[in-house]
Amino acid sequence: MYMSMQQKEIFLKHLNEMNHYKQALELMTWDRHTSIPNDGLQDRLEIVGFFTEKLHQLQTSDKMVNCFEQFLSSGDPILQQAAQVCKTTYEQKTNIPKEEYKAYAMLCSESEAVWHQAKQEDNFKLFEPFLEKIVSYKQRFAAYVGYESHIYDALLQEHEPGLEVKEIDEVFADLRPMLIDLLQRIKNSEAVVDASLLRVPFAIEKQKSMSLALLERIGYKLNKGRMDTSAHPYTFGINPNDVRISTYYDENDFTRSVFSAMHEGGHGLYEQNFGTDIQHTLLAEASSMGIHESQSLLWESFISKNKLFWESNQDVLKAYAPQEIQKLDLETFYRSLHQVSPSPIRLEADEVSYPLHIMIRYELEKDLISGKIKVSSIPEAWREKSAAYLGVTPSNDTEGVLQDIHWSSGDFGYFPSYALGYIYAAQLYESIDGALNMEQIYRDQNLHLVKEWLKEHIYQYGKRKTPLQLLKDTTGKGLQTDAYKTFLQDKYKGIYHL
Amino acid sequence: MYMSMQQKEIFLKHLNEMNHYKQALELMTWDRHTSIPNDGLQDRLEIVGFFTEKLHQLQTSDKMVNCFEQFLSSGDPILQQAAQVCKTTYEQKTNIPKEEYKAYAMLCSESEAVWHQAKQEDNFKLFEPFLEKIVSYKQRFAAYVGYESHIYDALLQEHEPGLEVKEIDEVFADLRPMLIDLLQRIKNSEAVVDASLLRVPFAIEKQKSMSLALLERIGYKLNKGRMDTSAHPYTFGINPNDVRISTYYDENDFTRSVFSAMHEGGHGLYEQNFGTDIQHTLLAEASSMGIHESQSLLWESFISKNKLFWESNQDVLKAYAPQEIQKLDLETFYRSLHQVSPSPIRLEADEVSYPLHIMIRYELEKDLISGKIKVSSIPEAWREKSAAYLGVTPSNDTEGVLQDIHWSSGDFGYFPSYALGYIYAAQLYESIDGALNMEQIYRDQNLHLVKEWLKEHIYQYGKRKTPLQLLKDTTGKGLQTDAYKTFLQDKYKGIYHL
């Protein structure tokens, strides 16, 4: 179909306008996490609400519908995909009746406050009626959105387009026994792996300089970004030329700030390297939440926790780390980064326990949405799964079912992406190793070549490819757990002498 | 006239919308000065342009005209004044034909770049044709705006509503001989006043802590603000609950950062203390540029450069300053803050020379606009005035007529406010001393009472009172130079033993 220059210009202008509001909102998010004075929050919320409403109007206007319908089968390689994103957004914004969504948003806002109190008082009963209402909204919303086989698929789509319960169930069923077994063998191992060797005073300014030096090595550009401090590490992609990350500091545990910086640096590399051809088109966003997470985990877990990474970055350690760290031999340093000790709390989990935490929540939220389990039975079910998977039973609901805010904010269908990120990352790392020879890359301090590979195969496409397309085009395969299982087993076999 | 609740609500909603755009734009300005990565600038300019255009549409819409016309004589004490501000803004935005303004804006943007080059190369001829065109635009704009006695009055109105050339000429004619005489007597004095005693290494982190401690003493609230670093000190009033200041650091001259912080802190106090009844109404802005400047100068020049201020803040010096500073006795410390040595460059000027710099530019720009002098004669005229007023002749145009960016950006009518700020501040300081007894205030560390006085008499009103109304209501007088002359003469008589 032939589209006139004028039609193109109008569509591009609309896309650009939405992009302007999005950039302003992202800047305000960054500001809220890193800079805003306390008393400024109230006014800011009002402005964020105003701009969000303006953006919503653009996303759902008749003009916009007219635009995207014209371009859905236009044959223009980029605008056709941009039209698809606009259509999906339009449907997400309009398939739920406005009044119902408003009531739900108010419920969530109240519910978050109640969750805070319930967590503080270890009182699940307080939160229970709110969770019941939220689940029932989510069930209705899923019906509005529609699904083919499982009701939870409707919620998954928002975060991981193209993936369904069936596939995730298979993958998790495959991983679960391996992880439980690995945890058990580590527990039985007599090897000494002691993270406390790294917990020595380390000036925050020096931690910061060390993180910045490592970020430079992996190719994160400070002329297109900056690193701030915030309560939770975060990446703020305002546009590809302005991608800010944040980290946090524990003066007695530099691993928190440095590996958070590597994690957010991975997200940041993705956002700094979207193709220039898709900027301002709404396609300059991550393919999915899981793919975004795969980029942070690739750089954090697969690369910056690799022994060879630290061998080739000894000069950075020498420049910034205190004597107590420098005097550790490389093997001890590396092993200390990998102490495994299951905790009931996800945010304190090691690499081996982490996916099991995800499975606990995924299985329970899936059963909540499908009606297989009642809200009142959740605390007990949580304890049982925690004991069965992690070998630890939370001593109360604060450490158990109440530990995370997500359900109280209505975030369902979001957790699986954390685990999918690991699996994608393992598959990608395997492909990169095949193409570039990672051992040589580390030895030659050539990590920028990894960034270039990712730019060519992943980053530049933004939303132009789905997660499964990206996997297929880079690995020739679909979602597969082999690489991830091999990675974990090999790594911990070495560390714990299994 | 009776206005219905509905009319009120509509007007308030419009005011609030404009306020939302203004807040977003101010946040972006802050970000541009303190945080944005280099490569992010280009995209940001586009977004700023987009939101500025949105704001312009609101300011000049028929809806807005309809609103303010309804409220101009409504009798509602606040909305009537808000309507007046809207009307003035509307007139400013519409009395210049749109196409002409656009051409002018493009000329300025080009002209700034040319000015940079001309300054670098000491080549006024390069800049001359641009300045000629800008002056001719300004003359036409003044005609569109209209004026009664002097064409320059039209340009003054934007910055100092209610003040005219006639009044400023009188005031400057009164001050000029006194300042020239004072400079001469200081030059002839044999007293030793040596600023270099204070130029010792002083860690930037400690300079920052010292500034923050002093800002707290004067009542600037960090729960409603923050202090960042930028190339030029600045105050960013996003809203009264979020007023950020910035300063800059010279490791070998703490006076730059500390007195910049006091200066911006003065601006910040004003912006943090607009009345809650005028928030979101566009009245929560400074009465004029000169009044804003009077607040920064009151706290910088009149209060934080007072000897008693340092006597009562010895503990702050003790806590942060290096030994070389601490060992100076109070008298020497105080005198060293006040070395007078005229420079051809305004930004390096001391308190006594500064107003003379303002007069040079004011007189020349007034004559340019009225056509009394040609652009080509300006460099020579500048040198002559500099020699006559300051006793120094700039060695080239880079140090002379090309030193400041303002003319190249089309900023005419703006400089007098800097000098008016000193005069207002002196009159206010005299009134405060009469009401509160400043000596006692310093001794009791009660500077917050000064802030309370200013809040009651100046800050809370925002744009509700003009500069002359504020003067009249606080001092019972109009614009008068006596207090300012007495302040300068007494201060420097003591320091230079005149």
Side-chain angles (χ1 to χ4, degrees):
Chain A
M1 197 193 296
Y2 173 77
M3 308 308 300
S4 74
M5 276 312 291
Q6 206 199 352
Q7 284 169 307
K8 269 196 191 184
E9 266 168 37
I10 292 172
F11 188 33
L12 282 169
K13 193 176 156 234
H14 279 328
L15 290 170
N16 214 12
E17 282 200 11
M18 287 191 276
N19 187 264
H20 290 337
Y21 282 106
K22 284 194 164 202
Q23 290 198 37
L25 286 165
E26 188 72 2
L27 175 68
M28 290 183 203
T29 306
W30 170 79
D31 189 62
R32 182 162 58 82
H33 280 82
T34 63
S35 312
I36 199 170
N38 254 343
D39 291 8
L41 266 174
Q42 200 51 45
D43 266 292
R44 179 60 58 78
L45 285 179
E46 213 185 293
I47 294 171
V48 166
F50 174 76
F51 283 133
T52 305
E53 177 64 26
K54 286 274 168 200
L55 177 61
H56 182 95
Q57 284 168 10
L58 288 174
Q59 288 166 328
T60 59
S61 70
D62 292 343
K63 255 189 185 170
M64 178 48 64
V65 175
N66 194 22
C67 266
F68 72 65
E69 280 181 347
Q70 282 178 359
F71 280 86
L72 276 175
S73 50
S74 60
D76 181 301
I78 286 179
L79 291 183
Q80 181 162 326
Q81 290 183 307
Q84 188 54 54
V85 171
C86 291
K87 184 168 183 259
T88 306
T89 307
Y90 176 82
E91 286 166 356
Q92 281 168 356
K93 301 278 170 190
T94 54
N95 58 22
I96 297 166
K98 213 173 166 180
E99 284 310 307
E100 202 170 341
Y101 192 82
K102 226 174 174 173
Y104 160 76
M106 279 176 64
L107 171 67
C108 288
S109 146
E110 198 185 347
S111 155
E112 279 180 33
V114 171
W115 166 79
H116 271 290
Q117 196 189 336
K119 181 176 177 180
Q120 210 159 19
E121 298 172 2
D122 182 27
N123 182 355
F124 182 77
K125 281 283 159 210
L126 195 65
F127 180 50
E128 192 177 303
F130 287 87
L131 186 54
E132 272 168 2
K133 277 187 217 161
I134 287 175
V135 167
S136 123
Y137 268 110
K138 284 286 162 183
Q139 290 166 333
R140 282 204 299 284
F141 291 176
Y144 292 135
V145 172
Y147 51 90
E148 282 182 18
S149 37
H150 194 290
I151 182 172
Y152 188 83
D153 289 343
L155 309 179
L156 267 177
Q157 287 324 295
E158 210 178 311
H159 308 289
E160 218 54 34
L163 275 167
E164 298 189 344
V165 162
K166 201 172 142 258
E167 206 149 11
I168 293 175
D169 279 352
E170 267 174 37
V171 162
F172 284 1
D174 178 37
L175 284 177
R176 194 183 308 107
M178 183 282 283
L179 291 165
I180 293 174
D181 172 64
L182 184 57
L183 262 192
Q184 193 54 51
R185 284 190 293 143
I186 288 172
K187 206 173 160 188
N188 295 339
S189 158
E190 287 179 359
V192 176
V193 178
D194 185 4
S196 75
L197 293 175
L198 305 175
R199 299 210 181 102
V200 297
F202 192 147
I204 284 170
E205 271 310 308
K206 293 204 167 179
Q207 291 189 36
K208 187 175 176 184
S209 301
M210 177 162 154
S211 292
L212 289 171
L214 294 174
L215 283 167
E216 204 200 328
R217 295 249 162 116
I218 71 171
Y220 173 83
K221 299 283 185 208
L222 281 167
N223 54 331
K224 299 175 190 296
R226 48 181 288 132
M227 185 175 72
D228 296 282
T229 308
S230 67
H232 301 283
Y234 213 95
T235 298
F236 311 89
I238 297 170
N239 64 57
N241 290 310
D242 188 353
V243 179
R244 309 176 185 196
I245 62 176
S246 67
T247 186
Y248 64 151
Y249 297 93
D250 178 341
E251 194 160 4
N252 294 307
D253 186 359
F254 78 97
T255 64
R256 286 182 184 254
S257 69
V258 168
F259 291 104
S260 291
M262 293 296 102
H263 183 99
E264 303 307 326
H267 284 307
L269 282 176
Y270 195 1
E271 302 251 347
Q272 283 186 339
N273 290 286
F274 293 131
T276 48
D277 54 344
I278 56 172
Q279 281 180 35
H280 310 288
T281 64
L282 304 190
L283 293 167
E285 290 184 14
S287 169
S288 75
M289 195 198 139
I291 292 291
H292 220 320
E293 201 62 16
S294 78
Q295 293 315 303
S296 53
L297 292 169
L298 185 76
W299 289 98
E300 179 199 0
S301 195
F302 289 77
I303 295 177
S304 77
K305 283 193 176 157
N306 190 299
K307 201 196 296 177
L308 294 174
F309 177 86
W310 289 103
E311 187 170 2
S312 74
N313 285 307
Q314 282 295 312
D315 57 331
V316 175
L317 265 184
K318 276 228 162 60
Y320 304 108
Q323 279 307 317
E324 294 93 318
I325 305 280
Q326 287 194 37
K327 76 178 185 206
L328 299 176
D329 62 275
L330 179 65
E331 180 65 23
T332 309
F333 177 83
Y334 170 71
R335 288 158 55 82
S336 305
L337 294 177
H338 289 93
Q339 186 181 330
V340 172
S341 52
S343 150
I345 294 166
R346 177 181 68 91
L347 283 173
E348 294 172 3
D350 52 75
E351 277 178 348
V352 183
S353 323
Y354 194 86
L356 293 166
H357 282 273
I358 302 302
M359 290 177 201
I360 295 172
R361 187 170 291 264
Y362 163 71
E363 290 165 15
L364 292 177
E365 72 179 29
K366 187 182 63 171
D367 288 351
L368 272 175
I369 297 295
S370 71
K372 257 197 180 173
I373 188 172
K374 278 193 285 187
V375 167
S376 57
S377 314
I378 284 284
E380 183 51 29
W382 188 286
R383 278 190 289 276
E384 279 169 19
K385 280 190 195 282
S386 188
Y389 296 178
L390 298 165
V392 290
T393 309
S395 56
N396 53 39
D397 291 336
T398 299
E399 287 196 341
V401 68
L402 288 172
Q403 66 181 281
D404 276 315
I405 193 176
H406 303 67
W407 285 349
S408 78
S409 330
D411 287 328
F412 285 75
Y414 170 102
F415 265 79
S417 294
Y418 283 132
L420 291 169
Y422 271 114
I423 302 170
Y424 297 149
Q427 290 186 265
L428 288 172
Y429 190 77
E430 194 180 53
S431 289
I432 295 168
D433 196 17
L436 301 178
N437 184 354
M438 283 304 294
E439 195 173 322
Q440 205 55 45
I441 291 275
Y442 290 119
R443 298 214 185 283
D444 301 344
Q445 279 204 0
N446 264 341
L447 280 172
H448 65 98
L449 295 179
V450 176
K451 187 200 84 178
E452 291 306 324
W453 189 95
L454 287 163
K455 184 172 177 178
E456 186 187 340
H457 294 92
I458 307 282
Y459 299 163
Q460 64 158 321
Y461 293 108
K463 266 199 154 19
R464 295 190 69 189
K465 293 187 178 183
T466 64
L468 293 176
Q469 272 176 303
L470 287 171
L471 276 191
K472 184 147 178 282
D473 295 349
T474 49
T475 70
K477 299 176 192 164
L479 184 66
Q480 293 200 345
T481 53
D482 300 352
Y484 182 44
K485 287 195 289 189
T486 306
F487 166 75
L488 276 184
Q489 283 168 326
D490 287 357
K491 187 174 187 174
Y492 286 91
K493 196 154 89 182
I495 292 166
Y496 277 92
H497 311 315
L498 304 178
Chain B
M1 195 195 297
Y2 173 76
M3 309 308 300
S4 74
M5 276 312 290
Q6 207 199 349
Q7 284 168 307
K8 271 198 190 184
E9 266 168 38
I10 292 172
F11 188 33
L12 283 170
K13 193 177 155 234
H14 280 327
L15 291 170
N16 214 9
E17 283 199 11
M18 288 191 276
N19 187 265
H20 289 337
Y21 283 106
K22 284 193 164 204
Q23 290 198 37
L25 285 165
E26 188 72 3
L27 176 68
M28 290 184 203
T29 306
W30 169 80
D31 188 62
R32 183 162 57 83
H33 280 82
T34 64
S35 311
I36 200 169
N38 255 341
D39 291 7
L41 266 174
Q42 200 49 45
D43 266 294
R44 179 62 58 79
L45 285 179
E46 212 185 296
I47 295 172
V48 166
F50 174 76
F51 284 130
T52 305
E53 176 64 27
K54 287 273 165 200
L55 177 59
H56 183 94
Q57 284 168 10
L58 289 173
Q59 288 167 327
T60 58
S61 69
D62 292 344
K63 255 188 182 171
M64 178 49 63
V65 176
N66 193 21
C67 265
F68 72 66
E69 280 180 347
Q70 283 179 2
F71 281 86
L72 276 175
S73 52
S74 60
D76 180 302
I78 285 178
L79 291 184
Q80 181 163 326
Q81 289 183 305
Q84 189 54 54
V85 171
C86 291
K87 183 168 183 263
T88 306
T89 306
Y90 175 83
E91 285 165 357
Q92 281 169 356
K93 301 277 170 190
T94 55
N95 58 21
I96 296 167
K98 214 174 167 180
E99 285 310 306
E100 202 171 340
Y101 192 83
K102 228 177 174 171
Y104 161 75
M106 278 176 65
L107 171 68
C108 288
S109 147
E110 198 186 346
S111 156
E112 279 180 32
V114 171
W115 166 80
H116 271 288
Q117 198 191 334
K119 181 174 177 183
Q120 209 159 18
E121 299 172 2
D122 183 28
N123 182 357
F124 182 76
K125 282 285 162 207
L126 194 67
F127 181 50
E128 194 176 302
F130 287 87
L131 186 54
E132 273 167 1
K133 279 186 215 162
I134 289 175
V135 167
S136 124
Y137 268 111
K138 283 285 161 184
Q139 290 167 332
R140 284 204 298 284
F141 291 177
Y144 292 136
V145 171
Y147 51 91
E148 282 181 18
S149 37
H150 195 289
I151 183 171
Y152 188 83
D153 289 343
L155 308 179
L156 267 177
Q157 288 322 297
E158 210 179 309
H159 309 289
E160 220 52 35
L163 275 165
E164 298 188 346
V165 163
K166 202 171 140 262
E167 205 149 13
I168 292 175
D169 279 349
E170 267 175 35
V171 161
F172 284 1
D174 178 35
L175 283 178
R176 195 184 307 106
M178 182 284 282
L179 290 165
I180 292 173
D181 173 64
L182 183 57
L183 262 193
Q184 192 54 52
R185 284 192 291 141
I186 287 173
K187 207 175 160 187
N188 296 338
S189 156
E190 288 179 359
V192 176
V193 178
D194 185 3
S196 75
L197 292 175
L198 305 175
R199 299 210 182 103
V200 298
F202 192 147
I204 285 171
E205 270 312 306
K206 292 203 166 176
Q207 290 189 36
K208 186 175 177 184
S209 301
M210 177 163 156
S211 291
L212 289 170
L214 294 174
L215 284 167
E216 205 200 328
R217 295 251 162 113
I218 71 171
Y220 173 82
K221 299 284 185 207
L222 280 168
N223 55 332
K224 298 177 190 298
R226 49 181 286 130
M227 184 174 71
D228 295 283
T229 308
S230 67
H232 301 282
Y234 214 94
T235 299
F236 311 89
I238 297 170
N239 64 58
N241 290 311
D242 188 353
V243 179
R244 309 176 186 195
I245 63 175
S246 67
T247 186
Y248 66 150
Y249 297 93
D250 177 341
E251 193 159 6
N252 294 308
D253 186 359
F254 79 97
T255 63
R256 287 182 182 253
S257 69
V258 168
F259 291 105
S260 292
M262 293 296 101
H263 184 97
E264 303 307 325
H267 284 307
L269 282 175
Y270 194 0
E271 300 252 349
Q272 283 186 341
N273 289 287
F274 293 131
T276 48
D277 53 346
I278 57 173
Q279 281 180 35
H280 310 288
T281 64
L282 304 189
L283 293 167
E285 289 182 18
S287 168
S288 75
M289 196 197 137
I291 291 291
H292 220 320
E293 201 60 18
S294 78
Q295 293 315 302
S296 53
L297 292 169
L298 186 78
W299 289 98
E300 179 199 359
S301 194
F302 291 76
I303 295 177
S304 76
K305 284 193 177 160
N306 191 299
K307 201 196 297 178
L308 294 174
F309 177 85
W310 288 104
E311 186 169 4
S312 75
N313 285 307
Q314 282 294 312
D315 56 331
V316 175
L317 265 185
K318 276 228 163 59
Y320 304 108
Q323 278 308 314
E324 294 93 320
I325 306 279
Q326 288 194 38
K327 75 179 184 206
L328 301 175
D329 61 276
L330 180 65
E331 181 66 20
T332 310
F333 176 83
Y334 169 71
R335 289 159 54 81
S336 305
L337 294 178
H338 290 91
Q339 187 181 331
V340 172
S341 52
S343 150
I345 294 165
R346 177 181 68 93
L347 283 172
E348 292 172 4
D350 53 74
E351 277 178 348
V352 183
S353 324
Y354 194 87
L356 292 167
H357 282 273
I358 302 303
M359 289 177 202
I360 295 172
R361 186 170 291 266
Y362 163 71
E363 290 165 15
L364 292 178
E365 72 178 29
K366 189 182 60 170
D367 288 352
L368 271 176
I369 297 295
S370 70
K372 258 197 181 172
I373 188 172
K374 277 193 284 187
V375 167
S376 58
S377 313
I378 283 285
E380 184 51 31
W382 188 286
R383 277 190 290 276
E384 279 169 19
K385 280 189 193 282
S386 188
Y389 296 178
L390 298 165
V392 290
T393 309
S395 56
N396 52 39
D397 291 336
T398 299
E399 284 195 345
V401 68
L402 288 172
Q403 66 180 279
D404 276 315
I405 193 174
H406 302 68
W407 285 349
S408 79
S409 330
D411 286 328
F412 286 74
Y414 170 102
F415 265 79
S417 296
Y418 283 131
L420 291 169
Y422 270 115
I423 302 170
Y424 296 150
Q427 290 186 264
L428 288 172
Y429 190 77
E430 193 181 55
S431 288
I432 295 169
D433 195 19
L436 300 178
N437 183 352
M438 283 304 294
E439 194 173 323
Q440 205 55 47
I441 291 275
Y442 290 119
R443 298 214 185 283
D444 300 345
Q445 280 202 1
N446 264 341
L447 281 172
H448 66 99
L449 295 179
V450 177
K451 187 200 83 177
E452 290 306 324
W453 189 96
L454 287 164
K455 184 173 176 176
E456 188 188 338
H457 294 92
I458 307 281
Y459 299 162
Q460 65 157 321
Y461 294 108
K463 268 199 153 17
R464 295 190 69 189
K465 294 188 179 183
T466 64
L468 294 175
Q469 273 176 304
L470 287 171
L471 276 191
K472 185 148 180 282
D473 295 350
T474 49
T475 70
K477 300 176 191 163
L479 184 67
Q480 292 199 348
T481 53
D482 300 353
Y484 182 44
K485 288 195 287 189
T486 307
F487 166 74
L488 276 183
Q489 283 168 326
D490 286 357
K491 186 173 186 174
Y492 287 91
K493 196 154 90 183
I495 292 167
Y496 277 91
H497 311 314
L498 305 178

